[in-house]
Amino acid sequence: MKHRTLVALLLLATCTACQKKAEGQTVAVVNDEEITASQLNAELANANVPDGADKKAVTNRILQGLIDRRLLAEQARKDGIDRSPDFISRQQKLNEELLIGMLANRSMDTSKLPTDAEIAAFQAKQPQAFANREVWKLDQLQYDTPTDKAVQQRITATKTLEELAGVLTAARIPFQRGNNQLVTSVIPSELYPQLARLGPGEPFIVPAGNKSVASAIATREPNPLTGPNAKTEAVNAMRRQNSTTSLQQRLKELRSAAKIEYKEGFAPPAKK
């Protein structure tokens, strides 16, 4: 009897010692699952907390959100969702995207900083993002992209939004008017000269799925990016560009070295 009592007490003591406690780097324990200070700090860093906010209140709110997330995730596991094919497929995709993103960041962080001459050359090739940066106020029409080639040709031939509206009305294609603005730094370098040469009110059309958006530049407001801010932006853009190029080259090498086997009917078409 004494032996069994001692064993029971020993097991109880062992279980008590194994219980996790909210101390040290552990800020909370949810059903024996720890939430660490580093996890909480990572959530805070991604929360975009405004200056002047009550840090203690924000921290508590973020922590409560973490606890809620843990509880719901635990319930999902109890329901077997983590063993479903759909979850496993999505989890694999998310893991791969996270790994690739971190690989790209590592490549960018370890890349050599460009020289002043390289930075100046980069800025000169993209004037719309630096010295000649502008903010364009746009008048817009949004409409369902027509499949009739004759209508498409008439749309392409229009020189103003009003002409375009007339073509759409004649073709019984409904449209919506709107306004927007565009900072020229987001325009690809190869497209910018074409858009910059457009006449007053002349539309340019951007397809978006089964919709199209026609825009005409109403006003152009100079908004140059120069000095130290321009240099910082150029360096960041160059490092992102170099990282992308490096990853693409690495991918070519990986494909060349990889053994890839396709099921019949799934192989890409042979290169001509």
Side-chain angles (χ1 to χ4, degrees):
M1 181 68 178
K2 289 183 179 180
H3 177 70
R4 287 199 297 270
T5 302
L6 287 172
V7 171
L9 289 173
L10 180 60
L11 289 172
L12 178 61
T14 303
C15 290
T16 302
C18 290
Q19 289 179 347
K20 297 175 182 177
K21 296 181 180 180
E23 57 187 15
Q25 289 298 307
T26 302
V27 297
V29 179
V30 183
N31 291 338
D32 212 32
E33 185 178 354
E34 294 178 337
I35 296 177
T36 65
S38 61
Q39 291 170 333
L40 178 58
N41 289 334
E43 294 285 331
L44 284 167
N46 293 325
N48 295 321
V49 180
D51 295 335
D54 186 334
K55 187 175 180 180
K56 186 174 182 180
V58 171
T59 300
N60 182 63
R61 176 172 58 81
I62 296 295
L63 177 57
Q64 295 309 310
L66 260 174
I67 291 171
D68 290 345
R69 200 167 76 198
R70 291 290 172 89
L71 290 170
L72 289 172
E74 181 181 2
Q75 183 60 52
R77 284 191 289 269
K78 287 179 179 178
D79 291 349
I81 292 175
D82 60 328
R83 298 188 296 276
S84 69
D86 186 38
F87 173 83
I88 293 170
S89 176
R90 292 192 190 189
Q91 184 183 49
Q92 181 177 1
K93 180 183 178 183
L94 289 172
N95 287 344
E96 289 171 348
E97 289 175 346
L98 177 61
L99 285 167
I100 293 168
M102 294 183 74
L103 178 64
N105 288 338
R106 176 183 291 182
S107 174
M108 189 165 64
D109 291 341
T110 57
S111 63
K112 185 177 67 173
L113 288 174
T115 65
D116 287 344
E118 289 171 334
I119 294 170
F122 181 82
Q123 291 176 335
K125 289 180 180 178
Q126 302 195 60
Q128 80 282 4
F130 297 99
N132 295 345
R133 189 177 71 171
E134 296 177 326
V135 177
W136 293 351
K137 297 291 179 65
L138 305 176
D139 295 327
Q140 294 183 320
L141 293 180
Q142 184 183 68
Y143 56 92
D144 292 336
T145 304
T147 56
D148 188 318
K149 290 186 178 180
V151 175
Q152 291 176 358
Q153 290 174 352
R154 289 198 292 273
I155 288 174
T156 302
T158 58
K159 296 298 182 183
T160 67
L161 285 184
E162 292 309 315
E163 285 184 29
L164 175 55
V167 171
L168 294 173
T169 300
R172 297 183 179 180
I173 299 174
F175 58 87
Q176 293 179 323
R177 294 183 183 270
N179 303 100
N180 210 334
Q181 74 173 27
L182 176 69
V183 181
T184 57
S185 56
V186 304
I187 302 174
S189 299
E190 62 274 13
L191 182 60
Y192 172 71
Q194 178 183 344
L195 297 184
R197 288 194 299 267
L198 289 173
E202 187 175 356
F204 61 93
I205 300 172
V206 178
N210 60 351
K211 300 280 187 181
S212 290
V213 178
S215 303
I217 304 169
T219 62
R220 305 175 188 234
E221 299 176 6
N223 186 26
L225 181 62
T226 58
N229 290 338
K231 183 175 181 179
T232 299
E233 180 60 31
V235 168
N236 290 336
M238 293 174 74
R239 294 179 76 181
R240 288 193 297 269
Q241 190 178 84
N242 291 339
S243 175
T244 299
T245 302
S246 175
L247 284 180
Q248 289 174 343
Q249 180 58 39
R250 181 63 177 145
L251 180 57
K252 287 182 180 179
E253 295 169 357
L254 291 170
R255 274 189 164 271
S256 297
K259 181 181 179 182
I260 304 174
E261 183 178 346
Y262 294 99
K263 180 181 177 180
E264 185 177 352
F266 285 85
K271 293 182 179 180
K272 296 181 179 179

